[in-house]
Amino acid sequence: AQSVTQLDSHVSVSEGTPVLLRCNYSSSYSPSLFWYVQHPNKGLQLLLKYTSAATLVKGINGFEAEFKKSETSFHLTKPSAHMSDAAEYFCVVSLPDNYGQNFVFGPGTRLSVLP
Amino acid sequence: DTGVSQNPRHKITKRGQNVTFRCDPISEHNRLYWYRQTLGQGPEFLTYFQNEAQLEKSRLLSDRFSAERPKGSFSTLEIQRTEQGDSAMYLCASSLVGGTGPLAKNIQYFGAGTRLSVL
């Protein structure tokens, strides 16, 4: 079985300070892991994807995530928050593609960026 | 290509009525997925198609829910005899699997969703 835990339902940071959004996963298989962002009234947008090629994954808009198998974690970071980063962020675990690519979403973390 | 398109964006209906939502995937994509998202939660997987074949439908919430993708292009999600608990955002996504080109990254691209309100 697969599951995703996002440890913080809401994170608030000041503009220009680092962002850390935490994600832990559980999977019976070697998972693919993703981070998606959802801005109000907009579709989910892929930030980055991990598929075992490299443990540190760089995504769009300066975000990156590190896969740590020993900790079953896939935390999302950004060195300096921008006002436009305020949104809902979802960590996603997926089975290997030949299993049907069934995505399991975490409950989400709402990121607020204060001026 | 303008991405995944969903229509309508909003649907208000009375309890007991049937509703149908449409999803047009990215044209090169062979997989299409439906999700439901309620307030404050992450999307919940419902069903998916590879071309016109529905490969997983055990996660559909009840027998009132059904989905089709008759020609392997657009898809429809129908909810019969709607209930107030069906009020949610319904999301569609598409991906390309099994190919070798730059689009074949097995990444799901999402539409903006259809928001259903059942009165």
Side-chain angles (χ1 to χ4, degrees):
Chain A
Q2 311 166 90
S3 65
V4 179
T5 302
Q6 292 184 245
L7 298 164
D8 306 294
S9 59
H10 183 212
V11 170
S12 184
V13 300
S14 297
E15 190 175 23
T17 63
V19 175
L20 170 63
L21 304 183
R22 296 182 293 170
C23 171
N24 286 88
Y25 71 92
S26 172
S27 177
S28 304
Y29 303 89
S30 296
S32 293
L33 295 162
F34 306 77
W35 277 97
Y36 279 80
V37 61
Q38 188 174 38
H39 288 93
N41 300 315
K42 292 192 175 181
L44 287 153
Q45 181 184 18
L46 178 70
L47 280 178
L48 49 81
K49 172 184 178 183
Y50 165 78
T51 54
S52 77
T55 57
L56 185 62
V57 183
K58 294 189 182 299
I60 62 171
N61 300 334
F63 284 95
E64 63 181 37
E66 186 173 8
F67 172 72
K68 292 186 177 180
K69 185 175 181 179
S70 61
E71 299 176 9
T72 60
S73 69
F74 190 56
H75 301 332
L76 182 71
T77 60
K78 182 174 180 176
S80 176
H82 191 272
M83 296 295 290
S84 61
D85 295 328
E88 190 85 18
Y89 291 79
F90 294 96
C91 183
V92 182
V93 64
S94 173
L95 284 172
D97 299 325
N98 57 328
Y99 286 90
Q101 203 180 4
N102 183 356
F103 271 20
V104 176
F105 281 76
T109 297
R110 182 163 60 91
L111 176 64
S112 297
V113 182
L114 307 175
Chain B
D1 192 347
T2 56
V4 179
S5 177
Q6 292 190 246
N7 289 287
R9 292 294 307 274
H10 304 274
K11 178 70 176 179
I12 300 174
T13 191
K14 292 183 179 179
R15 187 176 54 187
Q17 297 294 304
N18 299 343
V19 294
T20 300
F21 311 139
R22 176 178 170 125
C23 172
D24 288 88
I26 294 172
S27 57
E28 299 90 349
H29 285 182
N30 51 9
R31 283 201 183 165
L32 187 148
Y33 308 81
W34 284 100
Y35 294 83
R36 183 180 78 158
Q37 185 178 21
T38 54
L39 199 61
Q41 300 295 319
E44 175 187 13
F45 171 79
L46 296 178
T47 187
Y48 86 101
F49 295 84
Q50 174 129 349
N51 300 313
E52 65 274 11
Q54 190 173 13
L55 299 186
E56 172 62 67
K57 56 182 179 181
S58 65
R59 305 287 185 90
L60 286 168
L61 300 165
S62 78
D63 59 6
R64 297 184 297 107
F65 287 71
S66 63
E68 292 184 342
R69 194 183 185 199
K71 297 182 180 179
S73 56
F74 74 92
S75 175
T76 57
L77 177 69
E78 181 182 17
I79 308 174
Q80 296 182 326
R81 306 181 302 282
T82 53
E83 302 173 356
Q84 288 185 325
D86 298 331
S87 296
M89 177 75 84
Y90 290 85
L91 299 171
C92 176
S94 69
S95 69
L96 176 65
V97 295
T100 56
L103 291 178
K105 297 182 179 179
N106 302 322
I107 294 169
Q108 292 190 23
Y109 295 85
F110 284 81
T114 295
R115 183 171 296 282
L116 173 66
S117 298
V118 181
L119 305 179

